[in-house]
Amino acid sequence: MTLVGHASWAEKTLIDCGRFYPPDCKTPEARLRYYASIFPLVEVDSSYYAIPSQTNTHNWAAHTPDGFVFNVKAFRFFTGHQTDVQVLPRGVKELLPGRKRLLYRDTADEVKDALWEAFYQSLEPLRLNGKLGLIHFQFPPSVVPSPRVVTHLESIRQKLPRDTISIEFRHSSWWDGTRRTVETLAMLRALSAVHTVVDGPRGVNNSVPQVWEVTNPNYALVRLHGRNTETYNAAVSSPAERFSYEYSDDELKGIVAETVRLAYKARNAHMIFNNCDEDKGVRNGMTALKMLVQYGDGRMPDLKDPFHPNGVLASVSVEELSAASSQLPPPVKGEPEMRDAEVDVERVGRMRITFQLREMRHHKSSHMHWSAVFAQPI
């Protein structure tokens, strides 16, 4: 079974764009409940910036349905990123009088152990409720193959003995040629770590190729960063701007097909959309869900309730949506933002689909297109 999710349900630009959450979803709890009514999986991004409290993780578990899965990004300190002491738990800060920033390699074992314990305990409510998926370690581009890095990965494995870890390298040297690729995969298998298949921009050292392999029998992981080569290494104001990209249906079809093939090698497969600018990632994620259902390898929300936030939209295939949108006049700027089209759908019958006019940007070009936002049987 392949689960699809977005990298955070609380990304600022996703909330601010106003196109995903209904107007009455004004609290973190309401947004999470709404998000979990559409997607079965989410990646927690806030845990990268600070260790979450047990109160928060308990609430996450309580506000989501049975079977919902949280993948959690590892705290940045553990992946070698410079870390502000002010974000650390109070008890750990007391061990660091006068310190402003930390790096893992320069930190005393006492502090490391305290932070590992705090991180481990913070996730216990998710473990107890069966909702903890992968703990994702995304290493910076400065991390290249070396014995020191392997030793660190082995220590991570020891610190989290009950959990499944996923590893994402962001320097091309890990996959430089057949021999290095085989060695990297063998190392991950020896650690029982999940290899991360990355889709992202190409052509620079901190971009990596798609390596469609499984290193843990229980999980396959695909993370999609978008393919915006212009912003990937540019000086941008936020991560959302760096990953501002909307996949076309043709691009997604190729990725979904490879993911389905990969899913046959593992008990569970996860697709995480990290093209997190505004609602690009959630819209691409919903399209991927529909494609996976067509392959017989996806899980959709229960759409028997006609008052579901998106009506029965998720039950409509990509091809059926394309047929409906083709009945609309070619979109241009300045025309009404919303249009309806009626179409016959074999599994649902005659239905009305509401489309919203949106702009799709690719590199330096852009074009207007119709994006389905609601569907209702007639």
Side-chain angles (χ1 to χ4, degrees), residues 67 96 115 292:
L96 299 161
L115 287 172
L292 285 163

Side-chain angles (χ1 to χ4, degrees), residues 6-318:
H6 190 255
S8 175
W9 70 91
E11 210 289 319
K12 185 177 185 300
T13 63
L14 175 62
I15 296 170
D16 291 347
C17 79
R19 291 190 293 268
F20 178 64
Y21 291 112
D24 58 349
C25 277
K26 296 184 180 299
T27 66
E29 176 185 342
R31 293 186 190 111
L32 179 56
R33 288 186 184 277
Y34 177 82
Y35 174 95
S37 74
I38 296 173
F39 292 102
L41 168 70
V42 75
E43 182 181 273
V44 179
D45 182 63
S46 60
S47 53
Y48 168 80
Y49 298 98
I51 295 174
S53 68
Q54 277 201 348
T55 299
N56 279 346
T57 56
H58 170 80
N59 289 337
W60 297 345
H63 297 155
T64 49
D66 291 344
F68 189 84
V69 177
F70 291 87
N71 285 357
V72 179
K73 282 189 76 173
F75 183 42
R76 60 183 297 153
F77 175 73
F78 304 134
T79 50
H81 293 83
Q82 193 172 76
T83 304
D84 192 331
V85 169
Q86 290 305 310
V87 306
L88 303 182
R90 181 182 301 175
V92 180
K93 283 191 285 189
E94 293 173 354
L95 301 174
L96 299 161
R99 293 286 297 274
K100 292 185 177 181
R101 294 179 181 84
L102 293 181
L103 278 177
Y104 195 91
R105 64 174 181 265
D106 300 327
T107 300
D109 289 344
E110 178 187 18
V111 175
K112 291 179 184 176
D113 291 344
L115 287 172
W116 276 115
E117 180 65 15
F119 182 70
Y120 183 87
Q121 292 300 330
S122 74
L123 303 182
E124 192 65 6
L126 298 180
R127 289 189 195 92
L128 292 174
N129 285 277
K131 295 186 176 183
L132 179 60
L134 303 172
I135 301 179
H136 186 66
F137 290 79
Q138 186 182 43
F139 288 92
S142 58
V143 173
V144 297
S146 72
R148 180 181 63 82
V149 173
V150 174
T151 298
H152 180 55
L153 293 174
E154 291 171 344
S155 72
I156 290 174
R157 177 69 282 164
Q158 293 168 4
K159 296 292 185 183
L160 301 169
R162 295 168 56 193
D163 303 315
T164 305
I165 63 173
S166 54
I167 304 296
E168 181 177 347
F169 296 119
R170 290 192 292 160
H171 194 277
S172 59
S173 58
W174 289 97
W175 313 106
D176 186 14
T178 301
R179 180 174 179 178
R180 173 56 69 184
T181 297
V182 169
E183 290 173 348
T184 298
L185 293 172
M187 176 198 64
L188 294 174
R189 289 190 181 102
L191 294 168
S192 295
V194 176
H195 158 61
T196 304
V197 180
V198 175
D199 184 87
R202 296 287 180 264
V204 291
N205 284 337
N206 63 332
S207 67
V208 298
Q210 296 174 350
V211 179
W212 293 94
E213 293 292 342
V214 168
T215 57
N216 181 300
N218 294 315
Y219 286 96
L221 174 63
V222 180
R223 295 185 83 236
L224 298 93
H225 298 296
R227 299 174 178 179
N228 194 332
T229 56
E230 290 185 350
T231 59
Y232 194 62
N233 284 320
V236 293
S237 59
S238 71
E241 187 178 351
R242 186 181 309 282
F243 302 118
S244 179
Y245 186 86
E246 184 167 359
Y247 288 92
S248 68
D249 286 356
D250 284 343
E251 289 172 328
L252 284 179
K253 284 178 181 177
I255 294 169
V256 167
E258 286 294 330
T259 302
V260 170
R261 183 187 65 80
L262 199 69
Y264 281 106
K265 300 181 179 181
R267 293 182 179 88
N268 306 280
H270 290 180
M271 289 185 73
I272 294 291
F273 283 85
N274 191 44
N275 53 329
C276 53
D277 181 44
E278 299 185 342
D279 61 340
K280 295 180 176 68
V282 292
R283 285 192 281 118
N284 279 161
M286 291 177 71
T287 300
L289 272 172
K290 295 166 192 169
M291 292 177 177
L292 285 163
V293 168
Q294 289 179 294
Y295 276 106
D297 190 45
R299 195 179 86 196
M300 300 297 291
D302 182 1
L303 299 174
K304 294 178 182 177
D305 180 1
F307 299 102
H308 185 272
N310 296 96
V312 294
L313 181 63
S315 68
V316 187
S317 72
V318 174

